[in-house]
Amino acid sequence: MSQFQGVSVVKKANVYFDGKVTSRAVVFEDGTTKTLGIMLPGDYEFGTDTKEIMEIQAGDLKVLLPGETEWVHIQGEGEFVVPANAKFKLQVSAVTDYICSYIKE
Amino acid sequence: MSQFQGVSVVKKANVYFDGKVTSRAVVFEDGTTKTLGIMLPGDYEFGTDTKEIMEIQAGDLKVLLPGETEWVHIQGEGEFVVPANAKFKLQVSAVTDYICSYIKE
């Protein structure tokens, strides 16, 4: 399915790193939230509150997950999971379009 | 209202100018469409198919509307309207968060 249907969308964007990372929050009928985001090339560190499932729809980036020493390279499509209350690093080398799901456990 | 409710959102982003302008399409129950977009600093020219109402939610930019010789400066919030099948220019000087409504006449 190419669309999320029957959802609410927050009008104002989330803006990080001088706009090099931006996202839009989508709220589902069951109260869960995802963000649809764009990352421009750059190096970033993020922290999680909840568990996050990051689905890469398009892009080129390397991911260093918490506790890991090896970067994972995603070109095109991919997915990775970050636990709650953790930090992870990204090296983005092409415009990256993602969906982030926030999983409350 | 800070959210669009009961809408569909296209998962994949629209990406222009190497990602310096990106947007997400929102489809309403009546079939009308808006995009929620971000523009990073830069100079851009856009063309319209339909009439467009551009609502600036946050940002700093100058707008040259079709047929005009004077740039309009919007800081913070603002709105401008572009007719169908026209070109307009933007000089964006700070990250700009917008809502574009497409008006079929």
Side-chain angles (χ1 to χ4, degrees), chain B residues 32-49:
Chain B
T32 59
T33 302
K34 297 183 196 291
T35 52
L36 291 167
I38 290 284
M39 296 185 289
L40 298 190
D43 293 347
Y44 309 107
E45 185 173 43
F46 296 97
T48 62
D49 292 321

Side-chain angles (χ1 to χ4, degrees), chain A residues 3 9 15 18 27 30-31 35 43 52 70 78 90 97 100 102:
Chain A
Q3 300 186 353
V9 182
V15 178
D18 292 328
V27 184
D30 64 3
T35 51
D43 293 346
E52 295 185 3
E70 297 286 331
L90 299 180
D97 185 5
C100 184
Y102 303 89

Side-chain angles (χ1 to χ4, degrees), chain B residues 42-83:
Chain B
D43 293 347
Y44 309 107
E45 185 173 43
F46 296 97
T48 62
D49 292 321
T50 67
K51 176 179 170 182
E52 295 184 4
I53 301 173
M54 281 283 283
E55 179 189 345
I56 306 302
Q57 303 190 95
D60 191 332
L61 72 166
K62 289 180 178 174
V63 185
L64 187 64
L65 289 169
E68 298 293 326
T69 53
E70 297 286 333
W71 294 78
V72 177
H73 191 184
I74 295 174
Q75 286 177 292
E77 300 179 3
E79 186 177 294
F80 59 91
V81 178
V82 188

Side-chain angles (χ1 to χ4, degrees), chain A residues 1-13 18-19 22 24 36-38 40 57 95 97-99, chain B residues 1-13 15 18-19 22 24 36-38 40 57 95 97-99:
Chain A
M1 199 173 61
S2 64
Q3 300 186 353
F4 293 126
Q5 296 180 319
V7 297
S8 295
V9 182
V10 177
K11 291 181 184 177
K12 288 216 171 179
D18 292 328
T22 58
R24 304 278 175 183
L36 290 167
I38 290 284
L40 299 188
Q57 303 191 95
V95 179
D97 185 5
Y98 70 85
I99 302 171
Chain B
M1 200 173 61
S2 64
Q3 300 187 353
F4 293 126
Q5 297 180 319
V7 298
S8 295
V9 182
V10 177
K11 290 181 185 177
K12 288 216 171 181
V15 178
D18 292 328
T22 58
R24 304 277 174 183
L36 291 167
I38 290 284
L40 298 190
Q57 303 190 95
V95 180
D97 185 5
Y98 70 85
I99 301 171

